Amino acid sequence: MNAITLRLDSQAKEPLYEQIYQYIKSEITIGRYPYNTKLPSKRQLSAYLQCSQNTVQAAYDQLTAEGYIISKPKSGFYVCRLDGIISIKKESFVPQKQTDSKLKCKYDFSHQGVDLYSFPFPTWRRINKNVISEYDTDLLKTGDPQGDINLRYSIADYLHHSRGVNCSPDQIIISSGTEFLFLLLIQIFERDKIYAVENPGYEKLNLIFKSNGAEFRSIALDEYGMIPEELFKSNADIACVTPSHQFPTGVIMPINRRLQFLNWANEKAGRYIIEDDYDSEFKYSGRPIPCMQGIDGGEKVIYIGAFSKSLTPAVRISYMVLPEPLINIYKEKLSFYICPVPVMDQKVLCQFINEGHFERHLNRMRNIYKGKREALVTAIRSLLPFAQIFGANAGLHLILKVNNGMSEEELITSARKNGIRVYGISQYYFDNAPANRQPLLLLGFAALKLSEITEAVGLLKEAWG
Amino acid sequence: MNAITLRLDSQAKEPLYEQIYQYIKSEITIGRYPYNTKLPSKRQLSAYLQCSQNTVQAAYDQLTAEGYIISKPKSGFYVCRLDGIISIKKESFVPQKQTDSKLKCKYDFSHQGVDLYSFPFPTWRRINKNVISEYDTDLLKTGDPQGDINLRYSIADYLHHSRGVNCSPDQIIISSGTEFLFLLLIQIFERDKIYAVENPGYEKLNLIFKSNGAEFRSIALDEYGMIPEELFKSNADIACVTPSHQFPTGVIMPINRRLQFLNWANEKAGRYIIEDDYDSEFKYSGRPIPCMQGIDGGEKVIYIGAFSKSLTPAVRISYMVLPEPLINIYKEKLSFYICPVPVMDQKVLCQFINEGHFERHLNRMRNIYKGKREALVTAIRSLLPFAQIFGANAGLHLILKVNNGMSEEELITSARKNGIRVYGISQYYFDNAPANRQPLLLLGFAALKLSEITEAVGLLKEAWG
């Protein structure tokens, strides 16, 4: 390989490992280190750069995590192909604190979680440091019940430009998690409304409604999402839908069906649509469809979003946009609830958005997830020819229909025996799943490494083939 | 492609690569570089801009990572399709500081808030910096629904040593704010229990119960707290009390009355006491009385606490200790609720406690508040001889009975005219306050400066004297 021209700058904002990582990534990307180039050993490189081996290790781990290089046992690190899919052994990079049963499996296609190697920690750390200031007495006060006004401005801007949502900061309520937003909604509607939920759907919705004495009906889906006729037949007042990427089926609701629902809501006072846009940030193909809130002009749609998928679920920040009459009810009856998100966290997020880091992070993540999604689709097409893919045009999971004669339970169990965790759709049905239903599996890909995906699908092939 | 009109500014705050990145991104976004436009090679562009090729490389890398351009091997960099690229423009708005009417008064005896000059910002900042680590994948995951297990251990230790609470970390649920803990309790008890609340009492309790369809009875107080006979007469199952420092009257419940309540609870299955220890950290005189949870051994008492008074209300962290049977119901029915406190904040607080800073902070604050309380009591005794003080042995507020013939309303209004905000007790009655009641005012002293207190009381003397 070529000479290393990097000079580490210990004064730079970026940590040393990051400088090494950036340098090598750049050399690989521009082709100066072609496929199969052997990188210097950690000892050689640390001696040459006069840094610790741990620093080099961290850089190599990061490069490995993103699939730029591969570690060959007893030989060293080699440059990967950048276009193709690679298959590597599990790294010991992830600190494993939890000892739950998930860790016993080799690869987990859970739909929860995000990419574990792309969170902008240095930026987040820097902004936190800025925000924790002895001169900011806001940090010693309760804060606005609807959430920090500046953060609400930033969210309104973001929603307007990226999702076509039409709202003022005054209509936004910031909370911690979608669940708490639903708790507020149930109180706004005073338990005298009937909710319609997608079936199959987000498993917590029925638990929340049940647990809080709110009536609900589960409505079947077809290939375009919730079936309007079924909704119309029910006596529901409020339809809870996930039109951008139905959970769990991955269906993107077409524009004319969205209009059907909006017309239904407009037919009668007191009818509303709750549009949960939980992973709308990631769309990979097809024309973008405006969110229902934007089509409607904001009169009949309660729009819900969160930073769980776009940043990390550990930052518990979600929000909803309420139509004018509902925000008035909230202010009159419910503004005694203190905003559950710590003031400091709201300020950090606000600065993160305003300095442009959120936009960059989203675009970067979209590329990363697009790569993972393509790797998964490619591997499935070549290794599991008896399986069909659905719902892969958006979001962080897809649906697999496996036509090999096995039941959903058998598919899950045999995958599990081969070290892979996959999830059946059955658990997302509120009543029993239809008896003659084809087995469907939910495969999340956000938290898997790009380099693991082909091997994981290979293990599924062994299990099901 | 069009001419590059960029001029790099080496004096600017933004690094050179950032200027190139921003320029090209903007040209692509506004459509001046359409899809498939070939960008100049790094060599060309660096020669033209008179910067290093690495600088151009860094800009191209960033654009590639965010999906604006793509590198085609042996050909160069090309503009991508912009489908799905997110661009957040800032609307023109001036960040707002709140200018509520509170700022117009000179001194505010609000019971909310804490001392504004004693929060350990440097320590908090340092711990935040430590906690935000790229090697901690917990920061990218949802976390334990009951709250971080290490924080629960720390809270259990703290409660055991400082409050005599008897519990294991497994019995603790961490949440954001007392309100959300009550929302969980209402769901645990499934809306078929009747709650007894202190009257006057914590103003939000009745709002929460009402808003969530839970039945409650308000129970009168005497000079020792909630009147047992009134509770016994009601058909309530669950008594909500603040024995350490009744809110708002400041009464400390004596031990024999605590035992009366515990006996009542033990007489019948399904009876419980909710002990809200909201400002128990600060006790200034008299013998310490064990908390009810500690007397009881933990079978009939739900213990609630928070860090709002002891640290800052802006850190939204509260917790409750549930008796064994209730924690089992929670685990079975309600553990689907994700803990609303961000994982990072939980880790920061945990480290803050474990390194001994919380204990030091509490002891320091107790001294500070003791000084403020003494200044207030001294000033009242010398300047307002016609007033009596109650409930000043603990907590961050006291009660003033003003015997000058003015009504509560008149006292508040005349103080307000003299630049002082004080609060009447009437607003804390759930029904109408008793007609023949003496006017009582609530004076919080935590957020006032020690040096301001005598002057503030002097202004009250002018208003009422």
Side-chain angles (χ1 to χ4, degrees), chain A residues 193-228:
Chain A
K193 298 281 185 187
I194 298 173
Y195 299 83
V197 297
E198 296 166 327
N199 190 24
Y202 178 48
E203 74 271 30
K204 288 181 187 175
L205 264 192
N206 69 331
L207 297 173
I208 294 171
F209 288 136
K210 248 185 220 165
S211 185
N212 289 280
E215 224 180 315
F216 69 98
R217 309 272 181 269
S218 59
I219 310 285
L221 311 178
D222 63 15
E223 70 268 40
Y224 304 121
M226 186 184 269
I227 302 172

Side-chain angles (χ1 to χ4, degrees), chain A residues 61-130:
Chain A
D61 279 341
Q62 185 71 21
L63 289 162
T64 307
E66 294 184 12
Y68 289 97
I69 62 171
I70 187 172
S71 160
K72 296 188 184 174
K74 297 189 183 155
S75 171
F77 289 88
Y78 291 82
V79 174
C80 296
R81 272 190 221 284
L82 289 194
D83 48 349
I85 308 304
I86 39 178
S87 155
I88 75 166
K89 297 257 188 298
K90 201 158 164 56
E91 295 297 318
S92 55
F93 176 66
V94 186
Q96 303 196 345
K97 284 180 202 161
Q98 283 166 316
T99 52
D100 60 348
S101 60
K102 280 191 185 177
L103 295 186
K104 290 181 207 148
C105 81
K106 193 163 186 192
Y107 301 122
D108 187 341
F109 280 100
S110 167
H111 70 91
Q112 289 166 336
V114 292
D115 185 275
L116 295 179
Y117 306 94
S118 306
F119 187 81
F121 280 106
T123 306
W124 200 257
R125 198 156 37 212
R126 177 179 60 74
I127 297 179
N128 255 279
K129 188 167 159 258
N130 291 350

Side-chain angles (χ1 to χ4, degrees), chain B residues 126-141:
Chain B
R126 178 180 58 73
I127 295 179
N128 256 278
K129 188 167 160 262
N130 290 350
V131 159
I132 303 173
S133 155
E134 35 274 79
Y135 302 109
D136 186 354
T137 51
D138 285 358
L139 301 179
L140 299 167
K141 294 173 183 167

Side-chain angles (χ1 to χ4, degrees), chain A residues 6 54 111 142 169-170 237 251 266 304 306 312 362 372 429 432:
Chain A
L6 174 65
N54 282 345
H111 70 91
T142 304
D170 193 49
D237 310 287
V251 164
N266 275 301
I304 290 185
T312 150
L362 279 181
K372 291 187 180 186
Y429 279 90
N432 292 330

Side-chain angles (χ1 to χ4, degrees), chain A residues 85 373-384 389 457:
Chain A
I85 308 304
R373 173 239 182 223
E374 278 165 11
L376 181 57
V377 168
T378 307
I380 291 169
R381 289 212 178 117
S382 82
L383 298 173
L384 305 173
I389 297 166
V457 176

Side-chain angles (χ1 to χ4, degrees), chain B residues 147-289:
Chain B
D148 183 87
I149 181 64
N150 295 322
L151 177 57
R152 285 188 278 133
Y153 268 102
S154 306
I155 290 175
D157 280 352
Y158 163 67
L159 289 178
H160 180 66
H161 291 295
S162 82
R163 303 291 307 137
V165 169
N166 211 334
C167 72
S168 79
D170 194 50
Q171 289 172 264
I172 295 177
I173 295 174
I174 292 168
S175 191
S176 56
T178 306
E179 299 118 302
F180 288 99
L181 293 172
F182 272 95
L183 290 182
L184 285 180
L185 286 171
I186 291 169
Q187 292 173 71
I188 286 174
F189 291 124
E190 288 192 328
R191 251 172 238 91
D192 62 357
K193 298 281 185 184
I194 299 174
Y195 299 83
V197 297
E198 297 167 325
N199 190 25
Y202 178 48
E203 73 272 30
K204 288 182 186 174
L205 264 192
N206 70 330
L207 298 173
I208 294 170
F209 287 136
K210 248 184 219 162
S211 186
N212 289 281
E215 224 180 315
F216 69 97
R217 310 273 180 268
S218 59
I219 309 287
L221 311 178
D222 62 16
E223 69 266 41
Y224 303 121
M226 186 183 271
I227 302 172
E229 293 70 26
E230 298 286 320
L231 171 67
F232 303 162
K233 274 197 310 198
S234 80
N235 52 351
D237 309 288
I238 296 169
C240 308
V241 289
T242 49
S244 294
H245 191 229
Q246 202 275 334
F247 187 86
T249 64
V251 164
I252 300 174
M253 188 186 282
I255 181 77
N256 36 353
R257 181 154 300 182
R258 297 185 187 210
L259 291 171
Q260 272 184 289
F261 281 108
L262 288 171
N263 288 338
W264 165 84
N266 274 301
E267 270 165 21
K268 198 171 153 187
R271 280 189 185 160
Y272 287 98
I273 290 162
I274 300 178
E275 176 177 29
D276 185 354
D277 228 14
Y278 70 103
D279 69 356
S280 62
E281 294 84 1
F282 306 111
K283 191 163 191 312
Y284 310 113
S285 60
R287 280 184 26 218
I289 301 174

